[in-house]
Amino acid sequence: MSNLEVKPSKLPSNQFDHFYKGGYRIGKLRNGPGGPMRPEEWIGSTTTRFGELVNGLSKLSDGGLLKDAVNADPSAWLGQKHVEKFGVSTEVLVKLLDPDQRLPVHYHPDQRFAKEKLHLNHGKTEAWIILEAPAGARVGLGFSKQMDKSEVAKLVKAHDSDALLDSLVFKEVKPGDAVFVPAGVAHAIEAGIFVLELQEPTDLSILLEWDGFAVDGDKDGHLNLGYETALDALRLSPLTKAENDEIFTGFDSSSPKSHSIFKSVANPFFRADYLTGDEQKVEAGFGIFLCLSGEGELVFENSGNLSVKSGDAVVIPFAAGSFTVSNCVGILSRPPAA
C-alpha cells in the first residue's frame, strides 16, 4: 500500500461477545449488533483478545484488517518518528464500554510485570471518558486502606464479592468526567455507565471476583499465571491525594474551544482531545476520531474532506496530514507523542 492509498477510513462496527451484559447503546451509536452480551466495541484495534489470533482486530471500510494495513506501510500510518520510537505498534487501543451490569472488581498488570511474566511489551494502563451515566452512578478505584496480599488472596478464594467491593474507594461520575486508571489499581464500574476507554494495546485483566458473571475466574481470571503470581501485579496501597488530583479530569462540553482531556500523567500512554468543531488545526499523526454529535466534516491537509455524523468512527493515518473538524463534536484518541 503506497502513501497515496493510505487515507482516513470510517470503521465498521467491531462488537463481540464478552462475559458481562450490555452493548445496546453501542449498537445504537455505531450501527452495530447491540446486546445482550456484546458490551464492548474495539475501535481501530490492532490488538487481539487474550490468547486469540484474530478476534478483536478492526477492519477498514474495504474489509481489510487495519493491522495488516499498518504493517504494510507503518511510516504512512504512524509517522517515521513514531516508528523509530515504538515500532509498528499503534500504541493505543480504543474501546466503547456499555455495561448493563456492574463490572467485577479487577485490575491490570503494568509493563514491567507483563514483560517479565507474559513476555509482552505493554501492560494495561487505561482511562475512561464518561459519555453517559445515570444519576449517582459510581466507579471504584483503588483500595481505601493498605491491603495485604494474603488478605486479598483469601477474599478471592472465598469468592467474597461484598468484601472486595467494600474495600474500594467509590466516586460518583457524570458525563464529561474522565478517570485515568494506573496499571495495578483495583477497580470496578457500576452498571449503566457508557464509557469511551483508552488503554495500552493489550487484553490483560485479572479478576478478583466473578460470581454472577459468565466467567470462571478460578480457571480464567489470572492470565494463566495462577493467583499466587498474578496478585504480585496488584497495587495494595491506596492512591495518594496527589495521584487523585492527577487522575480525575474530564472535558467541558459547553466550551467552544477544543481542549485536551487528560492531565500529563496520561501522556506516556495515550492522549485524548475533545474537538468542538472550532476548526482548530490538529497536527498530523495516527488517531481515532469518534463523532459524538452533529453532522460535519474532517478537512485533511493531504486527503481532502471526509463527511462525518454522530456515531462515525474514523481511523486517521499520519499521511493524511494535519486536519480540522467543522460542524460536529467528537473525541480524538491518539498514542503518546513520539
Side-chain angles (χ1 to χ4, degrees):
M1 186 178 284
S2 74
N3 251 16
L4 294 176
E5 294 171 318
V6 175
K7 293 185 175 182
S9 175
K10 292 184 183 179
L11 296 164
S13 173
N14 187 31
Q15 277 182 275
F16 46 82
D17 289 348
H18 219 293
F19 68 81
Y20 63 101
K21 298 175 184 176
Y24 290 106
R25 284 180 295 188
I26 295 174
K28 183 178 179 181
L29 177 68
R30 294 278 297 123
N31 194 32
M37 295 296 290
R38 287 181 285 255
E40 299 188 4
E41 180 184 359
W42 294 19
I43 304 176
S45 170
T46 58
T47 302
T48 59
R49 296 285 300 274
F50 182 73
E52 299 193 26
L53 296 176
V54 176
N55 191 14
L57 298 176
S58 291
K59 292 181 178 180
L60 296 168
S61 53
D62 65 5
L65 291 174
L66 172 62
K67 182 175 183 178
D68 291 343
V70 171
N71 287 342
D73 197 344
S75 293
W77 275 99
L78 305 174
Q80 189 57 36
K81 286 176 64 178
H82 179 108
V83 173
E84 288 171 1
K85 185 171 182 178
F86 302 114
V88 299
S89 168
T90 65
E91 288 299 288
V92 66
L93 174 57
V94 179
K95 297 179 181 177
L96 285 169
L97 306 182
D98 178 23
D100 280 348
Q101 65 182 130
R102 174 184 61 78
L103 266 64
V105 180
H106 66 290
Y107 63 101
H108 313 291
D110 64 11
Q111 290 179 4
R112 180 194 59 78
F113 185 93
K115 183 176 286 288
E116 181 180 323
K117 301 297 184 183
L118 299 165
H119 312 293
L120 297 172
N121 291 328
H122 301 91
K124 193 185 168 190
T125 289
E126 66 185 27
W128 312 318
I129 301 172
I130 312 300
L131 303 179
E132 299 177 21
R138 305 178 306 160
V139 298
L141 188 64
F143 292 122
S144 60
K145 65 179 180 66
Q146 180 70 35
M147 300 289 281
D148 181 81
K149 179 182 174 181
S150 63
E151 178 185 6
V152 177
K154 185 176 179 181
L155 295 176
V156 172
K157 186 174 182 180
H159 292 204
D160 196 338
S161 295
D162 289 342
L164 284 160
L165 284 168
D166 287 344
S167 73
L168 297 184
V169 177
F170 277 87
K171 180 181 175 69
E172 287 190 13
V173 292
K174 63 185 186 306
D177 286 345
V179 185
F180 177 78
V181 185
V185 175
H187 56 274
I189 299 175
E190 290 188 341
I193 301 176
F194 193 19
V195 170
L196 180 69
E197 179 177 281
L198 286 77
Q199 59 158 94
E200 292 181 77
T202 66
D203 183 32
L204 302 177
S205 294
I206 300 168
L207 302 180
L208 295 178
E209 51 112 16
W210 54 89
D211 286 359
F213 298 90
V215 63
D216 180 356
D218 288 314
K219 177 176 175 288
D220 298 319
H222 44 70
L223 302 175
N224 299 324
L225 297 172
Y227 276 106
E228 176 60 31
T229 297
L231 286 172
D232 288 337
L234 176 64
R235 173 169 167 166
L236 298 168
S237 60
L239 291 163
T240 66
K241 182 183 183 303
E243 286 174 318
N244 278 304
D245 289 343
E246 287 283 297
I247 281 170
F248 292 98
T249 58
F251 66 86
D252 180 3
S253 60
S254 67
S255 173
K257 291 188 175 182
S258 299
H259 51 277
S260 60
I261 294 175
F262 304 120
K263 294 187 179 179
S264 60
V265 66
N267 289 346
F269 303 98
F270 38 70
R271 297 169 290 164
D273 294 287
Y274 184 68
L275 302 183
T276 65
D278 60 357
E279 301 193 21
Q280 178 177 312
K281 185 174 284 190
V282 179
E283 65 182 356
F286 179 83
I288 296 162
F289 177 75
L290 177 65
C291 184
L292 297 178
S293 64
E295 193 164 336
E297 59 184 8
L298 307 181
V299 181
F300 296 96
E301 180 185 15
N302 301 330
S303 293
N305 300 3
L306 181 66
S307 297
V308 292
K309 64 182 186 304
S310 178
D312 283 344
V314 180
V315 61
I316 300 168
F318 175 86
S322 61
F323 68 96
T324 59
V325 178
S326 63
N327 297 316
C328 63
V329 170
I331 294 174
L332 176 67
S333 303
R334 294 184 287 173

